[in-house]
Amino acid sequence: MSAADRVAELTATFAAPSVDVAWLLCDQHPTDRVAFTVVDATGEPSALSFGELAADSHRCARALQGLGVGPGDRVATLMGKSTDLVTVILAIWRLGAVYVPLFTAFAPQAIALRLEGSGARVVVVDPDQRHKLDPGPDMPDDPQRRIVVTGSGAEHGELSLADLIATASPEPVPAVTTSGDGPLVHMFTSGTTGKPKGVIHPVSYIAGWQVYLEYGLGVTRDSSYWCAADPGWAYGLYAAIVAPMAAGIPSLLLSGGFSPETTWRTLVDHQVTDFTAAPTVYRGLRSSPVPVPQGLLRLERASSAGEPLTPEVNEWADSVLGLAVHDHFGQTEVGMPLANHHHPELAHPLKTGSMGRTLPGWSLTVLADEKDEPAGPGVLGRVAIDVAESPLMTFGGYQTPGQSDAKFTADGRYYLTGDAGRIDADGDFFFSSRDDDVIIMAGYRIGPFEIESVLAQHSAIAECSVIGAPDDVRGEVIEAYVVLRDGHDASPDLATELQLLVKTRYAAHAYPRTIHFIDTLPKTPSGKTQRYLLRNRRRTELSSREAQ
């Protein structure tokens, strides 16, 4: 089957007028096939078959139904990766309700924003996360919201998920159907450029993720597949849970946070062939003193998404892993439209700095800055999706009316990703920066990512971020914020060395005029650097200096 035919098949399936989500994700698969292998903090695995998942989610659905949950209701989870998590998620969809994922690293303020924004009436929470829901300055009291605690962590008077399941009817819940444009997930953007915005994913959004799993990641039934991203965010939810379920492919979930030790152990113990994670995971493995288990790995494909992949990662991966990490691009709003494909029919030679080519079902281009027309090859412009030519495009706007007006061109033809980049003659896309992060210095348009990529190759650099700071003569000048690796100290000599590195490896005019050595970069809870906070900080510092 051609890629175009596969897109048409999946689109017809998930965008149909009548869709049973639980059947498509679970019930259609052989009951004895493994759906998930959950690995706990000690490395002990626990397998969950589709048959067990079906039975457990029916009982869990009965428990939620007893709390009044029905079609269209929002149900949130504040849970770590576990069999309970996937069971609750599927139970929510069995009832035609809408899932609201909450990242376990969130503080109460971020949780409250999402609970209030989604209108979630029920929250299922792990015991170690329960305290975040206590009323306080950042968590307004809501007597109407029901809190259900997993495991044995429910205290006196609280609702226990286990108790609710034990007392619920053992009969399976009747099948609930919705339409392809019916709501499936209510989540929020990461807040990279400002306050998070509500996005409601329809059922048809799943089709794009299954296309990505098959063509971008290249996962097959023979794969040992592990997506290390957290399911509190779109990439982890869909790449680790939803898409593998839809495809009937076993998925590995590792409880707890990242550590080099557990990552290497899991890759070896489960002979992982297909691995995908954020660039920070690969950088963490690269900078760790934990030895690489040479000769014990079975990796065949490695992928990265969530933020741009800087070149030093593949310099390390080529020599240590014996393969290259393929960079992919996506957004909460649209899914994954660009990839350096692993599928053999679409695979092509990797180019340093490229975030890939369009996935089947998508049409992307780079628009000129001054008009809504495609820019020429190599010209820096606005990365955009051609809506009419992208059958996998499902985003029509944010939850709050008016917030998405600037995301589309005036004629509605193009969706603007908010990223600046360029496309070469082969159709490879290259990320430059977020639109707001482009630096305009003395008439030159400069993308921070390209400078960051050069700086990151220095052995002293753990991570860095580049911004444009106000300048009376040039309009803006380039400045860099740098976090050093252990064992390296900040000094004027090191700052000069970093400036020279950019001059010699990127461009003589585009070096950072100032190097700021700092302990940490400001980031969203998902780990994406918030350059706008650095810009605001620097502008405030310069304004204060002028006022003195």
Side-chain angles (χ1 to χ4, degrees):
M1 181 183 296
S2 70
D5 288 342
R6 183 60 172 151
V7 168
E9 180 181 61
L10 289 172
T11 301
T13 297
F14 289 101
S18 179
V19 179
D20 181 344
V21 175
W23 187 86
L24 288 174
L25 298 186
C26 177
D27 301 346
Q28 68 164 319
H29 303 306
T31 58
D32 60 349
R33 181 181 295 169
V34 173
F36 296 95
T37 298
V38 180
V39 181
D40 67 18
T42 68
E44 187 68 25
S46 175
L48 181 69
S49 70
F50 279 105
E52 292 169 327
L53 178 57
D56 292 348
S57 62
H58 270 293
R59 287 191 288 269
C60 185
R62 282 292 186 190
L64 294 176
Q65 195 176 52
L67 298 178
V69 175
D73 291 333
R74 269 55 173 171
V75 179
T77 68
L78 185 57
M79 302 170 64
K81 288 169 275 189
S82 63
T83 54
D84 277 349
L85 175 64
V86 294
T87 299
V88 171
I89 293 173
L90 186 59
I92 292 167
W93 290 333
R94 283 200 183 280
L95 298 174
V98 182
Y99 177 49
V100 182
L102 299 173
F103 184 36
T104 52
F106 278 151
Q109 188 175 70
I111 295 169
L113 181 151
R114 288 158 175 81
L115 292 179
E116 293 176 354
S118 65
R121 306 317 310 157
V122 175
V123 185
V124 184
V125 58
D126 284 339
D128 64 338
Q129 297 284 323
R130 173 63 185 84
H131 66 281
K132 296 180 181 179
L133 300 177
D134 290 335
D138 294 329
M139 179 59 66
D141 188 21
D142 185 349
Q144 302 302 314
R145 186 180 298 134
R146 313 295 295 275
I147 298 174
V148 181
V149 184
T150 66
S152 58
E155 298 181 355
H156 180 70
E158 287 191 326
L159 295 172
S160 160
L161 181 62
D163 290 345
L164 291 174
I165 290 173
T167 58
S169 167
E171 293 296 317
V173 295
V176 175
T177 59
T178 183
S179 63
D181 58 3
L184 179 79
V185 171
H186 193 153
M187 68 190 321
F188 292 76
T189 59
S190 60
T192 308
T193 58
K195 187 176 180 180
K197 301 178 181 65
V199 181
I200 301 173
H201 295 154
V203 174
S204 56
Y205 184 76
I206 299 173
W209 282 93
Q210 191 167 345
V211 168
Y212 171 65
L213 183 80
E214 296 177 7
Y215 290 93
L217 296 175
V219 178
T220 70
R221 289 280 173 83
D222 296 326
S223 298
S224 175
Y225 171 61
W226 180 22
C227 170
D230 194 282
W233 299 101
Y235 192 81
L237 172 61
Y238 289 96
I241 295 178
V242 179
M245 289 177 69
I249 291 173
S251 180
L252 183 69
L253 298 176
L254 176 64
S255 300
F258 165 78
S259 78
E261 295 87 350
T262 56
T263 301
W264 289 127
R265 183 190 67 202
T266 304
L267 288 169
V268 171
D269 288 352
H270 296 273
Q271 289 292 277
V272 172
T273 58
D274 296 68
F275 180 60
T276 182
T280 50
V281 169
Y282 294 103
R283 293 184 191 121
L285 294 174
R286 169 180 173 265
S287 61
S288 170
V290 177
V292 179
Q294 297 288 4
L296 300 177
L297 296 171
R298 194 181 152 219
L299 273 178
E300 298 175 7
R301 288 168 287 274
S303 304
S304 173
E307 59 178 320
L309 188 71
T310 43
E312 84 283 357
V313 170
N314 268 335
E315 292 178 6
W316 165 82
D318 284 335
S319 62
V320 173
L321 302 179
L323 49 74
V325 181
H326 289 216
D327 196 12
H328 301 160
F329 168 81
Q331 295 185 328
T332 299
E333 294 91 335
V334 301
M336 303 297 293
L338 289 175
N340 283 292
H341 306 88
H342 281 290
H343 193 287
E345 291 181 15
L346 300 177
H348 56 276
L350 296 185
K351 297 179 182 177
T352 301
S354 171
M355 53 186 176
R357 300 178 183 177
T358 53
L359 273 154
W362 294 96
S363 177
L364 278 76
T365 189
V366 172
L367 298 179
D369 285 326
E370 66 280 2
K371 54 186 176 181
D372 296 333
E373 296 179 4
V379 177
L380 185 66
R382 299 168 293 161
V383 179
I385 296 172
D386 189 333
V387 176
E389 299 299 322
S390 300
L392 293 175
M393 178 70 169
T394 61
F395 179 75
Y398 294 112
Q399 174 188 358
T400 302
Q403 282 188 333
S404 58
D405 291 352
K407 297 296 291 183
F408 293 89
T409 55
D411 59 4
R413 177 175 177 179
Y414 295 105
Y415 165 84
L416 305 173
T417 64
D419 293 301
R422 57 185 173 84
I423 181 174
D424 69 12
D426 296 325
D428 286 284
F429 284 76
F430 294 81
F431 175 82
S432 174
S433 70
R434 294 292 299 174
D435 279 347
D436 292 342
D437 293 331
V438 172
I439 302 166
I440 303 177
M441 186 181 72
Y444 291 103
R445 290 175 54 82
I446 302 167
F449 175 67
E450 292 162 302
I451 301 172
E452 292 165 358
S453 295
V454 173
L455 290 171
Q457 295 175 51
H458 193 284
S459 60
I461 304 300
E463 55 183 350
C464 60
S465 184
V466 169
I467 66 163
D471 182 80
D472 290 339
V473 177
R474 300 179 181 87
E476 287 184 310
V477 292
I478 300 166
E479 298 192 0
Y481 287 81
V482 169
V483 178
L484 296 177
R485 298 173 69 173
D486 292 342
H488 295 271
D489 297 320
S491 69
D493 286 344
L494 179 56
T496 300
E497 187 177 331
L498 294 174
Q499 291 171 326
L500 182 61
L501 180 68
V502 176
K503 286 182 179 180
T504 55
R505 291 195 179 180
Y506 178 60
H509 71 284
Y511 71 93
R513 265 55 178 183
T514 304
I515 303 288
H516 304 272
F517 295 102
I518 58 176
D519 294 331
T520 59
L521 296 174
K523 294 182 178 181
T524 67
S526 64
K528 297 179 182 179
T529 301
Q530 295 171 303
R531 288 195 190 94
Y532 78 97
L533 292 180
L534 293 173
R535 286 199 304 271
N536 292 346
R537 179 195 304 180
R538 187 59 174 152
R539 287 168 183 166
T540 299
E541 291 172 351
L542 294 174
S543 296
S544 299
R545 189 178 302 170
E546 291 176 357
Q548 292 176 356

